[in-house]
Amino acid sequence: MFRRAFWFTAGAAAGVWATTKVNRQLKKLTPESLAAQAADKAVEAGHRLKEFALDVKAGMTQREGELNDALGLHQDPERPDNVTALPGPRRLRAIEHHQNDQNTHRSNFSYNRNEDH
């Protein structure tokens, strides 16, 4: 008698447990649940992507500082942020070179539009 009651109770408990498990899985597969899971994954991926972008930006800033130090570039207080200038002598040479190039290009080219036709 006790054996039958034990096995009957064990069977009923297993049936309830299995039914509960199946119902939970079915609820996870409803369209609303799948949409919510996809939205959660998208938000999580967005947060990871933002963290990655911030890490990349921090690394770029650090590396830019290292390169500026190595090249002797400095921040000019008269220029806006994130714009670096060449040191004095190199800047003057670059400006002179740029002006010479502009003068050379103007004398070599004709801007007569009628020549093209």
Side-chain angles (χ1 to χ4, degrees):
M1 175 87 175
F2 288 110
R3 275 187 170 175
R4 287 185 184 174
F6 170 77
W7 288 113
F8 177 78
T9 306
V16 169
W17 177 79
T19 304
T20 305
K21 279 289 231 189
V22 168
N23 285 335
R24 284 184 188 163
Q25 290 298 328
L26 288 176
K27 284 182 184 178
K28 285 183 182 179
L29 297 176
T30 62
E32 295 84 14
S33 178
L34 292 174
Q37 288 175 9
D40 290 342
K41 295 287 184 182
V43 169
E44 183 181 328
H47 288 302
R48 278 191 264 142
L49 186 60
K50 182 179 177 182
E51 289 175 13
F52 174 72
L54 291 173
D55 288 346
V56 168
K57 186 175 181 180
M60 287 172 44
T61 304
Q62 178 184 355
R63 182 65 178 147
E64 184 178 5
E66 292 170 1
L67 290 173
N68 286 339
D69 290 342
L71 294 174
L73 298 176
H74 64 283
Q75 187 74 23
D76 192 350
E78 296 177 6
R79 293 179 182 252
D81 289 341
N82 297 329
V83 177
T84 56
L86 291 171
R90 283 205 269 170
R91 183 190 307 167
L92 292 176
R93 276 186 278 159
I95 291 172
E96 290 171 359
H97 180 69
H98 180 68
Q99 288 173 349
N100 290 340
D101 283 348
Q102 285 181 346
N103 292 337
T104 305
H105 289 301
R106 286 187 188 141
S107 64
N108 289 340
F109 295 108
S110 171
Y111 293 105
N112 186 352
R113 292 183 168 195
N114 292 329
E115 289 180 0
D116 294 338
H117 300 287

